[in-house]
Amino acid sequence: MLGAVPDAPLRGREAEVDRLTSLIGHVMAGRCTLITIEGPPGCGKSRLLRESMRIAEGFGLSVCAKYTDGACQAGGLSRRDPEDPHRPYAVAVDNAHHLDHEDVRALIAREGGPDGPARVWILARRASAGAPPLEGVLLSPTAGTERVKLGTLPPGAAMALAADALGAPPDAGLARVLGRAGGHPRRLLELAQGMLEEGSIAVDGYRARLVADRLPRRLVERVESSLMGYSPEFRQMVRVAAALGNEVSFEKVARVLNEAPTALLPTLDEVVAAGVLENSAGRLTFRDELLHRLITGWMPETVRDALRGQASGPPRPTAPALPAETGATGATGADGPGAAPYGEHLSDQEAVIAGLVHEGLTNRQIARRLGLSPHTVNYHLRKVFRKLGVASRVDLTRVVRGGTGKAPGPAPALAPPA
């Protein structure tokens, strides 16, 4: 973990260490075991994996370690003690979420038949949506698969971890600020060390005290970079949820994204597995206040206001109707025959985009304002053209200005220009 002193105690994981000690000890009785250490990014999987190697060495096992970046390279492992090929051994693999079921099976298959030494495989991997199950990989009746799940640290362990990094325990004011990390080990360490580097924390004697409540730049950049590694759908859901509050209903997020809730379930699974949101009976809550604050801070206030207004069902952007007017679309004024408010045909998001086109914004400018991609804006604008029966941005501006639109009809064979 970033910032952790190599010889510092492993804080808040006593129960997990006890369980690993028991499981690794079974190897000495001749039992083969596959152990997975699972959790969201930054929860301390690698640190616990290193501790498991120390435990294995304490039992007298021969230990080899491996880090994978997406390809299983089992042939590179030094599996056995050349001086004692029957000595029990342990294989530790970090970043193992890159390995699928067959990769893990191939890794284990190299170890020989039932006459070989007892062994344990310990894999640290992210808990991700759709992660391949590893039950059944070990086919021997004397083998087993165990899972150790990691979450956040309790408050006492979190402050002890901060004290290890700062060299002194935090005072009450600093503890409240560090508590925003919600016990997430990596964010807690980066917050504490970043604030110390930027002068927001002072260490006086035996106490670390708060000087200024500022988010350190390195933390902002790292979290932003981390989110960019996920899908556009992931980032869009997270930003919308952040704009709507620290806790929001899934139904409201779906309304703003203009998607059926069922269509968003895969993205929701990904966001929850990444440790960003918790889902409790349709209520989405950010795992910690710090993460919510970071994501919200990236969006201009105008974007946040637009998203909140859309979530509460804002009136579609309209203007006072002009006298009956006929343009290239054939749309008439508000008092003309067969007229209807143009917003009747549009979703909330489509109506907002139509209003921004009326203001003269380009697709890229609209995308920046709403936190969408230009491709997504173009997609919604095509739907607006089709629903209102218009063929150009000029025609759309006339419709918005007049507050009317034709009933939905065939789409014009013309893409909305950027």
Side-chain angles (χ1 to χ4, degrees), residues 17-37:
V17 169
D18 288 345
R19 187 170 177 217
L20 283 169
T21 302
S22 175
L23 293 173
I24 295 172
H26 291 165
V27 177
M28 305 308 295
R31 175 180 171 85
C32 296
T33 306
L34 171 65
I35 303 172
T36 59
I37 300 173

Side-chain angles (χ1 to χ4, degrees), residues 25-246:
H26 291 165
V27 177
M28 305 308 295
R31 175 180 171 85
C32 296
T33 306
L34 171 65
I35 303 172
T36 59
I37 300 173
E38 300 184 359
C43 68
K45 300 181 296 298
S46 298
R47 176 68 176 86
L48 188 59
L49 183 66
R50 293 196 299 272
E51 184 69 14
S52 71
M53 296 165 62
R54 187 193 63 79
I55 295 170
E57 290 174 340
F59 276 111
L61 274 65
S62 176
V63 176
C64 58
K66 175 172 175 54
Y67 181 91
T68 177
D69 60 359
C72 180
Q73 300 171 356
L77 294 172
S78 300
R79 300 185 308 283
R80 302 183 185 179
D81 185 343
E83 298 181 0
D84 183 4
H86 297 290
R87 179 186 177 187
Y89 62 93
V91 177
V93 183
D94 202 357
N95 210 31
H97 43 272
H98 291 299
L99 306 182
D100 63 20
H101 190 281
E102 292 306 316
D103 290 332
V104 175
R105 187 183 294 276
L107 175 68
I108 293 171
R110 294 181 54 84
E111 311 306 335
D115 296 331
R119 57 269 193 201
V120 59
W121 297 270
I122 311 170
L123 277 58
R125 66 177 192 164
R126 293 180 184 177
S128 57
L134 298 181
E135 287 75 6
V137 171
L138 298 178
L139 302 179
S140 168
T142 62
T145 302
E146 302 288 344
R147 180 178 299 172
V148 177
K149 294 184 178 180
L150 294 186
T152 55
L153 297 175
M159 291 305 105
L161 180 63
D164 292 338
L166 295 172
D171 65 10
L174 179 57
R176 283 194 296 272
V177 172
L178 298 179
R180 294 171 184 162
H184 186 280
R186 184 194 296 169
R187 279 197 290 275
L188 173 63
L189 286 172
E190 291 181 336
L191 176 62
Q193 293 184 326
M195 292 179 69
L196 183 63
E197 291 171 359
E198 296 180 8
S200 298
I201 294 176
V203 179
D204 300 329
Y206 299 100
R207 185 67 64 177
R209 62 180 177 83
L210 180 68
V211 175
D213 186 0
R214 293 192 300 262
L215 287 174
R217 187 63 199 165
R218 66 186 257 179
L219 175 61
V220 174
E221 292 175 350
R222 195 208 61 75
V223 174
E224 186 173 11
S225 174
S226 176
L227 285 179
M228 290 305 294
Y230 290 94
S231 66
E233 294 79 11
F234 180 106
R235 299 196 301 271
Q236 190 174 36
M237 176 175 287
V238 167
R239 286 168 175 160
V240 167
L244 301 184
N246 191 50

